[in-house]
Amino acid sequence: MQVLLAIAVLTLKAAIRFRLLIVLGILLLLTVVGLPLIIKDDGTAQGFTQILLTYTLSFITALLGLATMWIACGTLARDIEDYQIQMITVKPVARWQIWLGKWIGIMVLNAILLSLAATSVFFMMQKRAKDLPESQQRILQDEIFVARASAKEPPQDIEPIVNDMMAARLEENPELADRDPQDLREQLREQVIAMQQVVQPGYRRRWQMYVGPPDEVKDLPLYLRIKFFTASAYDTSTYIAFWDIGPPEGAQRIRIENSISPEAPIQFEIPPNQIDADGILTVDFENWNQKALLFPLEDGVEVLYRKGSFGPNFVRGVIIIYCWLGFLCALGLMAASFLSFPIAAFLTLALLFIGFSNGTLDQIIYEGGITGVDNNTGQIAAPALIDKLAVLSAQGLLSTINLVRDFSPIDYLSTGRIITWSQVALGVFQIVIVMGGIFGLIGVIILSRRELATAKSF
């Protein structure tokens, strides 16, 4: 431990001597203080949140992330290129201790900078919120400065329905028995899912969501969040929606009529105390439009309700951002373990670019390779060996990237959604221990096997 702390202190001192740190401090100051002054909000709670929370935290995360990778690449690669690391390796110090000590030192610096920046953002939000109109302050307190949990319809077991449909289909058409049963089952499964998601014109759809014990959510404001699609791409039309909310046979059941637009999520407040004695909120939707509306099973309809306060939720979100910085630090040190400083920095940026280009990876998986569509037939070409390797690589990269991408605390904070401690623990495990550990192990192995006397040849 003494060795790790000594290397961490030396790394921290080296990082402070970086000119980048001075530039980083100025940019952070401009982001926290200058950005809200340059970009004025429109006086609404949503505009206030967009400027003072979403934009500011996003810029802080981006600046610290880039600085973390730059310092991680520079502090190890420069030590190797300038032959300073040999002075440490001749002593009874393992190379894994050097690598881990540098990671700890950089993360200490990140903890200081992120804490100062996040604290400034938090108190600035509290101060500037008082300048909003009272109506917008109420929206801010109910929808943003809060930690809201989400209740959704539990997933239904559709396999019995698929089995019944498959038996009926085979009975009507015996020749289907010659087809691949798995292919037929998958088609029927997609049909069942489509029937559950699509509300045809003139039909009703019911969602029943468990909100919690009635005593715990009594008198709390509830918000219905809606997301739906139509068959038309880039549909900008509005649709009339009729919502019947409350126990089906209860006297307090209400009807809400509003206009909704597809693709973008919409939320609106519903009166409290609409759940039944079992803690279930029943929502019925009537489609009197001329088009069928598709509500995705995973996030088509959900109810949001207060579960905690904003302060602890903000802290949990900052912890997950800190986990991201730990992963980026491990990535930079891994690259610097076997590459020179500029090449290591380029590699880490390239890996990040691939990570944010998951649409390309999805397309490779969907098309079954990289050779694309056969121009003669218009069909996807038969996959060659290179296509199979591309699909396997894309699937592996996508699953790996999603471990990190699945955690988006800024989106949660800007919509008032709760970040639970279990999510924080899962984030620490997936982002730092799993992903950071994988890159850390690769970096340690490479550094341990590297011939440092020939460092100039790399």
Side-chain angles (χ1 to χ4, degrees), residues 149-153 207 209 223-227 265-268 270 281 283 298-304 417:
S150 170
K152 303 178 183 179
E153 183 181 53
W207 290 267
M209 298 160 284
Y223 292 85
L224 201 62
R225 184 181 184 274
I226 309 298
K227 183 179 181 181
I266 308 156
Q267 71 175 22
F268 55 90
I270 60 177
L281 177 69
V283 176
E298 60 275 8
D299 60 353
V301 174
E302 56 183 322
V303 60
L304 303 176
R417 286 178 175 263

Side-chain angles (χ1 to χ4, degrees), residues 191-429:
Q191 290 181 18
V192 174
I193 293 175
M195 288 188 296
Q196 293 183 342
Q197 295 184 125
V198 176
V199 184
Q200 297 291 343
Y203 282 79
R204 294 171 63 93
R205 169 72 156 90
R206 171 170 291 182
W207 290 267
Q208 290 186 311
M209 298 160 284
Y210 177 74
V211 178
D215 293 340
E216 293 185 6
V217 296
K218 184 179 180 181
D219 298 329
L220 292 181
L222 302 176
Y223 292 85
L224 201 62
R225 184 181 184 274
I226 309 298
K227 183 179 181 181
F228 74 99
F229 300 87
T230 63
S232 303
Y234 307 107
D235 191 350
T236 58
S237 305
T238 57
Y239 297 86
I240 300 299
F242 294 95
W243 306 93
D244 292 322
I245 302 171
E249 308 300 331
Q252 73 268 32
R253 189 171 174 83
I254 62 168
R255 165 163 284 206
I256 295 177
E257 177 184 350
N258 55 16
S259 298
I260 56 179
S261 301
E263 299 187 15
I266 308 156
Q267 71 175 22
F268 55 90
E269 187 175 2
I270 60 177
N273 305 321
Q274 294 297 321
I275 63 175
D276 60 21
D278 297 324
I280 296 177
L281 177 69
T282 301
V283 176
D284 290 335
F285 168 73
E286 291 184 8
N287 182 15
W288 294 111
N289 301 282
Q290 299 299 318
K291 288 185 178 181
L293 306 183
L294 186 148
F295 296 86
L297 293 179
E298 60 275 8
D299 60 353
V301 174
E302 56 183 322
V303 60
L304 303 176
Y305 58 96
R306 183 186 295 270
K307 194 68 175 179
S309 57
F310 179 72
N313 205 44
F314 186 82
V315 171
R316 291 189 290 266
V318 172
I319 292 175
I320 294 182
I321 294 175
Y322 187 67
C323 292
W324 285 356
L325 298 179
F327 164 73
L328 295 177
C329 183
L331 179 62
L333 288 172
M334 183 277 296
S337 299
F338 65 98
L339 296 172
S340 63
F341 174 41
I343 299 178
F346 175 79
L347 176 63
T348 54
L349 290 175
L351 291 175
L352 280 183
F353 177 78
I354 293 174
F356 284 103
S357 301
N358 64 334
T360 303
L361 300 178
D362 288 331
Q363 185 176 3
I364 292 174
I365 297 172
Y366 174 76
E367 294 184 353
I370 58 177
T371 56
V373 177
D374 191 332
N375 293 327
N376 295 323
T377 63
Q379 303 294 324
I380 296 175
L385 177 60
I386 188 173
D387 293 316
K388 295 179 180 179
L389 293 176
V391 170
L392 290 175
S393 301
Q395 289 174 339
L397 278 173
L398 195 59
S399 60
T400 300
I401 291 166
N402 285 339
L403 287 176
V404 181
R405 288 176 59 91
D406 285 346
F407 293 92
S408 182
I410 297 176
D411 289 342
Y412 272 61
L413 291 173
S414 60
T415 55
R417 286 178 175 263
I418 188 170
I419 302 172
T420 63
W421 283 112
S422 60
Q423 288 177 305
V424 173
L426 188 61
V428 172
F429 175 75

